[in-house]
Amino acid sequence: MRVITGTARGVQLKTPEGMKTRPTSDRVKEALFSIIQFDVPCARVLDLFGGTGQLGIEALSRGAASAIFVDEGEKACALIRENLKRTKLSDRAKVIRSDYMQYLQNCRETFDIVLLDPPYAEIFLENALNKLVEIDILESGAIIVAERPVEKELPWEFSGFTKSRDYKYGNTVLTLYRKD
């Protein structure tokens, strides 16, 4: 697993050992950032299910102004911090150890891009989407990127958001929502 492009291009990221983390494949990550490439520069990014930090780190490497990484696991947060040090991107990042719903309920910051890549077998994705629609932490025109398995369906519409389309890569689907 590596950073694809930007200031940290080519830096190898550490991956978890024995954790319940499923890192996004380089192919899917490259496709994702090709889709949102013009939205990333100067964006404030929320990587809500941080895992290894690779998605938020890729955004920082490509010019995002800042990124907040949220994960409830102590090992995951330590791994994200280590990967931020490896890429020399720690100065624009914050790692928060918290349950995703608790973080969203208490969040007082606003974001331009939200990256959602939760464990596939859980209902975290649906819960996070519903909470993001309910609270007001997204700027006008903000993007939510949801990574999911092909067999998991997501609603086409959320109040105040437009689903642009699904992008399928093998067994993985990227779904983009944009705030109206």
Side-chain angles (χ1 to χ4, degrees), residues 42-179:
C42 302
R44 289 162 299 173
V45 176
L46 173 60
D47 191 343
L48 191 57
F49 300 92
T52 62
Q54 73 161 326
L55 295 179
I57 287 171
E58 187 71 37
L60 288 170
S61 181
R62 291 171 181 249
S66 63
I68 292 180
F69 300 83
V70 177
D71 202 292
E72 68 178 344
E74 185 177 337
K75 288 181 181 179
C77 288
L79 183 60
I80 294 166
R81 286 185 189 97
E82 185 173 342
N83 282 332
L84 285 165
K85 284 181 188 171
R86 284 172 164 255
T87 57
K88 299 179 174 77
L89 295 168
S90 298
D91 61 328
R92 293 184 285 141
K94 187 188 315 184
V95 180
I96 298 173
R97 184 175 177 210
S98 175
D99 170 77
Y100 73 101
M101 286 298 275
Q102 184 177 11
Y103 174 79
L104 290 175
Q105 288 170 343
N106 298 316
C107 185
R108 301 294 174 253
E109 300 188 51
T110 59
F111 300 96
D112 303 298
I113 298 173
V114 178
L115 304 169
L116 302 176
D117 183 16
Y120 279 179
E122 305 295 334
I123 61 165
F124 299 153
L125 183 57
E126 296 88 333
N127 291 343
L129 283 167
N130 286 323
K131 192 65 172 177
L132 285 164
V133 169
E134 177 187 317
I135 61 177
D136 190 25
I137 65 168
L138 299 174
E139 294 291 338
S140 179
I143 298 171
I144 299 173
V145 180
E147 183 178 331
R148 63 185 172 85
V150 71
E151 63 273 3
K152 182 177 277 204
E153 290 296 323
L154 291 177
W156 273 98
E157 292 188 24
F158 286 102
S159 178
F161 289 81
T162 303
K163 182 176 178 182
S164 66
R165 65 177 278 201
D166 289 335
Y167 300 85
K168 186 176 180 239
Y169 304 94
N171 292 327
T172 301
V173 177
L174 297 173
T175 301
L176 273 67
Y177 295 93
R178 189 173 294 271
K179 186 172 180 185

Side-chain angles (χ1 to χ4, degrees), residues 1-2 13-29 32 47 49-55 71 76 79 83 117-120 147 172 174:
M1 188 172 59
R2 63 184 172 80
L13 301 176
K14 285 198 74 169
T15 56
E17 293 181 21
M19 292 174 48
K20 296 183 281 184
T21 302
R22 175 204 34 78
T24 300
S25 73
D26 279 353
R27 177 177 172 236
V28 172
K29 182 171 59 171
L32 161 63
D47 191 343
F49 300 92
T52 62
Q54 73 161 326
L55 295 179
D71 202 292
L79 183 60
N83 282 332
D117 183 16
Y120 279 179
E147 183 178 331
T172 301
L174 297 173

